[in-house]
Amino acid sequence: MVVLRLKRRGRRKNPIYHIVAAPKHKARDGRIIEDLGRFNNTVNPPEVRLEEERVIHWLNNGAQPSDTVRSILKDHGIYYKMHLERQGRDEEEIEEAMAEWREERAEKRREEAEKSSRKEKQKAMLEAEEKEYEKRLKEKAAKAEAERQREQREAEEKAAEEAEAESADEESDDEEQQAEAAEETKESEAADEADEQETADEVEETSDEEAEDDDEKEKAAASEEEQEEAAEESADDEEEAEESSDEEAEEDESEEEDSSEEEEESSDEEDEEDEEKDKSS
């Protein structure tokens, strides 16, 4: 099967394509049957050169064009020319119809070009407007940034002034606090001295009281000792008195015993005398 396709030629990044008839199963740049024209898409509009009769011959004999070649042939009027030939028109009619078709095609391309030009102009206008808008936005942003920086500087200056004022107030407050602290310190020292004096007086009073207590305790101890000595002396006197009374009692008893013995002896003697008198009588 024969196909009509493009075969790449030319240089790197500058290709030129050959429109060829080749076997379907051969490589793109492999063996060809016939060279049918050129196609250069590196220019605008693309350049096309065709062997129209040979192209129509291969199409009539069943050759299948690739999608790209079909688009090129259609754009070049090959299919329209084949249509006219199938209708049985002669060469003059075909040439007139092809001329009209080419004029219409050219007019259509001009309109498309104008439309494209209008689109490009509109696009350029939109781009210009967008650039102008971006420029205005940048200017506005720059202005806003300058305003922000100015406000920031003013705020910093104001904050610095407030900080200085606060620092001055704090210094004055510190001085007042220091003065108050000094006065409080003096008062505290005076109070401490007064407390120390009171404490010293209390200590002296306490020591005096303790001394008096010691004296009283010594006196009480001396009094107790004297009382103990007096009690001991009175106990000794009582013992001596008891001993003397016991001795006196013993003496009295002994005297009584002696007197009773003497009485008994005298009574015995009287009895003996009476007995003797009785005996003598």
Side-chain angles (χ1 to χ4, degrees), residues 94-120:
I94 291 172
E95 287 297 331
E96 289 178 0
M98 288 298 296
E100 291 177 0
W101 180 85
R102 289 189 181 97
E103 287 179 1
E104 291 177 358
R105 189 74 174 174
E107 183 66 24
K108 187 176 181 180
R109 285 180 177 176
R110 281 193 298 270
E111 290 177 357
E112 289 178 355
E114 289 177 358
K115 188 177 181 180
S116 176
S117 178
R118 286 196 299 270
K119 286 182 178 180
E120 289 178 355

Side-chain angles (χ1 to χ4, degrees), residues 81-239:
K81 188 175 182 179
M82 290 174 66
H83 174 68
L84 294 174
E85 288 178 352
R86 290 191 186 100
Q87 288 180 352
R89 296 186 183 187
D90 56 16
E91 291 183 1
E92 291 181 0
E93 290 177 348
I94 291 172
E95 287 297 331
E96 289 178 0
M98 288 298 296
E100 291 177 0
W101 180 85
R102 289 189 181 97
E103 287 179 1
E104 291 177 358
R105 189 74 174 174
E107 183 66 24
K108 187 176 181 180
R109 285 180 177 176
R110 281 193 298 270
E111 290 177 357
E112 289 178 355
E114 289 177 358
K115 188 177 181 180
S116 176
S117 178
R118 286 196 299 270
K119 286 182 178 180
E120 289 178 355
K121 288 180 181 179
Q122 187 177 4
K123 184 179 180 181
M125 290 175 63
L126 290 173
E127 288 177 354
E129 290 178 357
E130 187 176 357
K131 288 180 180 179
E132 184 67 21
Y133 179 70
E134 290 178 355
K135 183 179 178 181
R136 290 178 182 176
L137 284 178
K138 288 180 180 179
E139 291 177 354
K140 188 175 181 181
K143 186 177 180 181
E145 180 65 19
E147 183 68 20
R148 187 187 65 79
Q149 290 179 357
R150 184 182 64 78
E151 291 177 356
Q152 185 177 1
R153 286 195 300 271
E154 291 178 355
E156 289 177 354
E157 291 175 357
K158 186 176 180 181
E161 291 176 357
E162 291 177 355
E164 290 178 358
E166 289 178 358
S167 177
D169 294 337
E170 289 177 356
E171 288 179 358
S172 62
D173 293 337
D174 292 337
E175 291 177 356
E176 291 178 358
Q177 290 177 358
Q178 289 178 358
E180 291 177 357
E183 291 179 358
E184 291 177 357
T185 303
K186 290 180 181 179
E187 292 177 357
S188 176
E189 290 177 354
D192 292 338
E193 290 178 357
D195 292 337
E196 290 177 356
Q197 186 65 35
E198 290 179 358
T199 304
D201 295 337
E202 290 177 357
V203 170
E204 288 180 358
E205 290 177 358
T206 305
S207 62
D208 293 337
E209 290 177 357
E210 289 178 353
E212 291 177 358
D213 292 337
D214 293 335
D215 293 336
E216 290 178 358
K217 287 179 181 179
E218 289 177 357
K219 289 179 180 179
S223 173
E224 288 178 357
E225 289 178 356
E226 290 177 357
Q227 290 177 359
E228 289 178 356
E229 289 177 357
E232 289 178 355
E233 289 178 358
S234 62
D236 293 336
D237 293 336
E238 288 177 358
E239 288 179 358

